[in-house]
Amino acid sequence: MSTLLVSQPNFADHLTPQGHPERAERIVAIEEALAKQRFDKLLRRDAISGDLNLAELVHDSRYLARLRHARPAEGIGQLDADTFISAKSLDVAATGLGGALNALDAVLLGEVDNAFCAIRPPGHHAEIATPMGFCLINTVAIVAREAQRKYGAERIAIIDFDVHHGNGTQDIFKADPSVFYASSHQMPLFPGTGRPSETGVGNIVNVALDENSDGAAMRDAYLTRIFPALHDFSPDLILLSAGFDAHERDPLAQLNWSSADYGWLTGKLMDVADRACGNRIVSLLEGGYDLKGLAGGVSHHLAMLMDGAIGRLDD
Ligand code: ZN
């Protein structure tokens, strides 16, 4: 296995208010965890800015103009109750997108088997016409479309293990049988979508997990619901909306996944990728708001992506 880690040099330029859970320290915590010797084998690359106009592949044609208009000259502007935009937020989003597209290139050109992008802000709540839930552009959705447009990939699977339902990704692909979207999420919880009855055109699998449920419930849900459907879909590429807020330490939700659960889930997804699509996985950071839980979950995720095994980890 070879794994690319894409970092985002300007991650701290997207400002959120004091006390907001989606903060620059999240990326610092990930970078510290992945600076350990255990991760020396990672191929590391800094993201360069991507073409923000690619957002029109998934968003409304007036979407970017509205975001630019909402952007303050200084300070922090508010888009909804918990979604904020600062002067350089769109530059940060463009760099996150550029990094994700670089990861896509590296995986689809066979330079590496898989890739993880430590980027912010997250994207999976951003709908066709509406930014929400800390998200400005739906990066994973843009990457899916670009994989189809640039590389001719026909069948893209997006697996979203963030604790919140990716309403934006579902909104974008709900009528498109070429993109499979599966989400596991706590329910009830923000944003309120993601009932198992929401199945799109047969391309969407939503698994609702009960408050206070643990990694065993997650494993059962993936083994019985998501993996069989993913296998049947037979993707050319697997994209991950990798949120780590189902971690037992996370303050925004009440699931009890351990760091090791993220390693297990990653390994099982790699098994599918091995059988279906030549190991090709591109993983993009979404949520995860407890710094220790985030670092622990990401460490297990990356150790597994790198080696197919966890090996020695501190937590
Ligand atoms: Zn989340």
Side-chain angles (χ1 to χ4, degrees):
M1 285 290 158
S2 53
T3 298
L4 172 66
L5 169 64
V6 178
S7 301
Q8 182 187 26
N10 62 351
F11 68 88
D13 289 345
H14 169 57
L15 306 179
T16 53
Q18 185 83 25
H20 194 284
E22 205 293 286
R23 59 208 192 276
E25 287 83 354
R26 300 174 60 234
I27 303 296
V28 175
I30 290 173
E31 290 188 343
E32 283 177 4
L34 298 181
K36 293 177 181 164
Q37 191 180 6
R38 173 72 180 83
F39 298 102
D40 278 358
K41 260 183 15 193
L42 288 171
L43 177 64
R44 294 165 191 264
R45 202 166 281 165
D46 278 345
I48 54 168
S49 187
D51 180 4
L52 212 51
N53 292 318
L54 291 172
E56 288 198 11
L57 291 171
V58 304
H59 291 291
D60 183 279
S61 61
R62 295 176 302 280
Y63 187 82
L64 272 183
R66 283 170 45 219
L67 284 182
R68 288 190 176 110
H69 183 71
R71 184 180 46 176
E74 57 183 43
I76 301 172
Q78 187 160 12
L79 298 172
D80 68 16
D82 52 21
T83 309
F84 295 87
I85 187 167
S86 60
K88 293 183 179 173
S89 292
L90 292 180
D91 300 332
V92 176
T95 305
L97 174 61
L101 293 173
N102 185 231
L104 177 73
D105 290 341
V107 168
L108 288 188
L109 294 173
E111 186 185 353
V112 294
D113 291 295
N114 53 46
F116 175 74
C117 302
I119 56 176
R120 67 184 285 264
H124 70 153
H125 294 304
E127 298 186 337
I128 294 171
T130 313
M132 64 182 280
F134 317 161
C135 301
L136 300 179
I137 61 168
N138 196 317
T139 309
V140 76
I142 299 168
V143 171
R145 281 285 181 247
E146 194 62 353
Q148 293 181 319
R149 192 182 72 109
K150 185 172 175 184
Y151 289 100
E154 291 177 359
R155 302 169 70 76
I156 311 294
I158 302 172
I159 309 299
D160 185 336
F161 57 80
D162 189 279
V163 79
H164 303 97
H165 180 241
N167 57 294
T169 311
Q170 176 171 298
D171 180 48
I172 289 163
F173 296 117
K174 64 190 175 194
D176 181 350
S178 74
V179 178
F180 172 88
Y181 176 69
S183 173
S184 60
H185 43 273
Q186 180 179 324
M187 192 162 223
L189 190 68
F190 179 88
T193 51
R195 288 177 184 77
S197 59
E198 296 167 24
T199 57
V201 287
N203 63 326
I204 289 170
V205 176
N206 281 306
V207 171
L209 298 170
D210 293 336
E211 184 177 325
N212 297 319
S213 65
D214 61 8
M218 175 277 283
R219 294 179 189 213
D220 181 64
Y222 273 85
L223 289 171
T224 60
R225 306 272 315 276
I226 293 180
F227 292 142
L230 173 60
H231 186 262
D232 287 349
F233 179 74
S234 189
D236 298 322
L237 168 70
I238 296 176
L239 303 178
L240 302 182
S241 265
F244 296 87
D245 39 9
H247 196 281
E248 57 200 348
R249 295 182 56 95
D250 199 274
L252 265 58
Q254 292 79 38
L255 294 192
N256 293 307
W257 300 11
S258 66
S259 296
D261 286 321
Y262 288 99
W264 177 89
L265 178 53
T266 305
K268 293 291 181 189
L269 289 163
M270 290 167 71
D271 289 345
V272 179
D274 177 33
R275 291 196 300 272
C277 56
N279 296 314
R280 292 191 284 269
I281 294 177
V282 177
S283 176
L284 309 186
L285 179 66
E286 298 280 2
Y289 304 101
D290 177 83
L291 299 182
K292 271 187 121 168
L294 177 61
V298 169
S299 294
H300 282 72
H301 184 51
L302 266 291
M304 187 62 78
L305 285 176
M306 259 172 62
D307 293 338
I310 298 300
R312 277 179 65 90
L313 277 178
D314 298 339
D315 50 9

